[in-house]
Amino acid sequence: MTGQRSDARRNYRRILAVAEAEVAAHGAEASQEQIARTAGVGSATVRRHFPTRRALLEAVFQERVAGLCERAHRLSTAEDGRTALLEWFHAFVRYAVSARGFAHVLSYEPPAENPSPKSCGSVIEAAATPLLQRAVRDKAVAPHVTFHDLLTLAVGIALATEHHTNPDVQADRLFRLAVEGLSPD
């Protein structure tokens, strides 16, 4: 936003604040027109700052994604690689369940040859991959497990539980099932 006029910066901040509230209330399908009306700007102004729905959603979740990345960096020095990965992954799943629309943003992110380096998925992948690699090196996670496997599990759990009465409880149950597997051992 550097180099923008002060009114453009103000509009950006106001649109983002309104978008955060609308996405929290309505998820990924929040109306861009409603966001514009509530922010007191035209829909063209919203689209100038956020040319696509995905760009708007990415901006809404940027701060929380930074928190997940910070947590991954902190955990990278933990003694046990498996515990560190699972602690981070559980936090990731919990956030995906609690933040309406976040799973939808991540579901836009299939593995690609040239992913956008600033997308939520790419930023999280860069932060979490060292945790996964360490757990694989420690033989605590199977070598064929990829970050996109973890991303798919988190998105799947979030989307599968979003309409449950207690999505957190159901998500925690599915998380444990994914980690422990189906076998009784």
Side-chain angles (χ1 to χ4, degrees):
M1 279 196 319
T2 52
Q4 285 186 337
R5 297 183 336 243
S6 63
D7 61 332
R9 288 190 302 272
R10 231 182 353 267
N11 284 343
Y12 178 90
R13 288 190 300 270
R14 189 172 39 236
I15 292 165
L16 190 55
V18 169
E20 287 172 352
E22 286 293 314
V23 170
H26 304 288
E29 298 306 315
S31 165
Q32 288 179 286
E33 287 72 29
Q34 180 61 39
I35 291 167
R37 277 192 297 277
T38 304
V41 300
S43 58
T45 301
V46 172
R47 284 182 173 66
R48 191 168 31 260
H49 287 289
F50 306 102
T52 64
R53 176 176 299 282
R54 181 177 176 179
L56 178 65
L57 291 170
E58 294 269 358
V60 163
F61 296 116
Q62 187 175 25
E63 191 174 310
R64 289 302 240 349
V65 165
L68 285 169
C69 292
E70 171 57 33
R71 187 173 194 154
H73 293 302
R74 272 195 326 268
L75 288 168
S76 68
T77 61
E79 199 169 309
D80 181 355
R82 181 177 192 278
T83 301
L85 175 65
L86 292 179
E87 182 180 323
W88 178 85
F89 184 47
H90 195 215
F92 179 48
V93 168
R94 283 187 157 189
Y95 179 62
V97 169
S98 70
R100 291 193 68 188
F102 186 56
H104 292 279
V105 168
L106 296 174
S107 68
Y108 290 143
E109 306 242 0
E113 283 186 35
N114 297 315
S116 169
K118 293 182 182 180
S119 71
C120 288
S122 293
V123 171
I124 293 170
E125 180 177 11
T129 295
L131 291 175
L132 176 60
Q133 290 171 336
R134 179 173 169 211
V136 167
R137 266 194 321 274
D138 293 349
K139 296 184 181 358
V141 172
H144 63 273
V145 175
T146 67
F147 171 78
H148 282 279
D149 295 332
L150 300 179
L151 182 92
T152 301
L153 277 171
V155 167
I157 290 170
L159 294 177
T161 60
E162 70 183 352
H163 298 295
H164 282 253
T165 306
N166 294 311
D168 300 6
V169 172
Q170 185 64 14
D172 283 346
R173 182 180 168 285
L174 292 173
F175 173 81
R176 284 191 313 277
L177 181 63
V179 170
E180 295 167 5
L182 298 173
S183 62
D185 294 346

